[in-house]
Amino acid sequence: MSTPGLSISHVSPSQSNKIPAINSAADILDGALTQQSIIDVSGGADITPSPSTVLPFMCLRLIGVLTASIHLILPASGHLYMVVHAATGGHSVTVRCGGGSTVTLNAGDLRMVFCDGTNVVAPN
């Protein structure tokens, strides 16, 4: 078994040496909190990154040159993200997952957003 969000393996009660499993879990959690996924959003088409590109990370940095406003379509699962709109071109990026509410970021914005599997919401 593993955790639902970051897929960190649970330590089995029958494991004789639990230290490697605990250290691995700590490394995955540390990476999620301190590393970022760099997503090239160049162009003017919507972007749907693979779950393996975004789910292991809390921070998503959007880079590239936008030629139009686009949607960043996240996996439909519960996750907290910090999204950094570092792309150039002056266009907005609307973050969504599923078919519910969305959050729009303008160039230079940094926003915390939460995807509940359907809606993307941000604190006021």
Side-chain angles (χ1 to χ4, degrees):
M1 255 180 90
S2 62
T3 62
L6 294 175
S7 298
I8 299 172
S9 295
H10 288 168
V11 177
S12 170
S14 63
Q15 271 180 266
S16 60
N17 187 356
K18 296 175 176 41
I19 293 173
I22 293 168
N23 288 343
S24 175
D27 289 344
I28 292 169
L29 183 57
D30 182 72
L33 295 173
T34 63
Q35 298 174 9
Q36 60 186 336
S37 179
I38 307 293
I39 302 171
D40 189 343
V41 295
S42 293
D46 292 346
I47 302 289
T48 306
S50 69
S52 63
T53 300
V54 296
L55 291 178
F57 303 97
M58 185 175 164
C59 182
L60 308 178
R61 179 174 293 276
L62 312 180
I63 63 164
V65 180
L66 285 171
T67 58
S69 294
I70 65 164
H71 286 94
L72 174 67
I73 305 161
L74 299 174
S77 62
H79 203 296
L80 177 67
Y81 297 99
M82 178 176 64
V83 183
V84 181
H85 182 341
T88 61
H91 297 281
S92 64
V93 175
T94 299
V95 182
R96 68 181 177 98
C97 72
S101 62
T102 63
V103 173
T104 299
L105 286 85
N106 295 312
D109 283 353
L110 181 151
R111 298 282 307 268
M112 293 299 295
V113 300
F114 179 73
C115 174
D116 67 6
T118 303
N119 300 293
V120 174
V121 295
N124 292 333

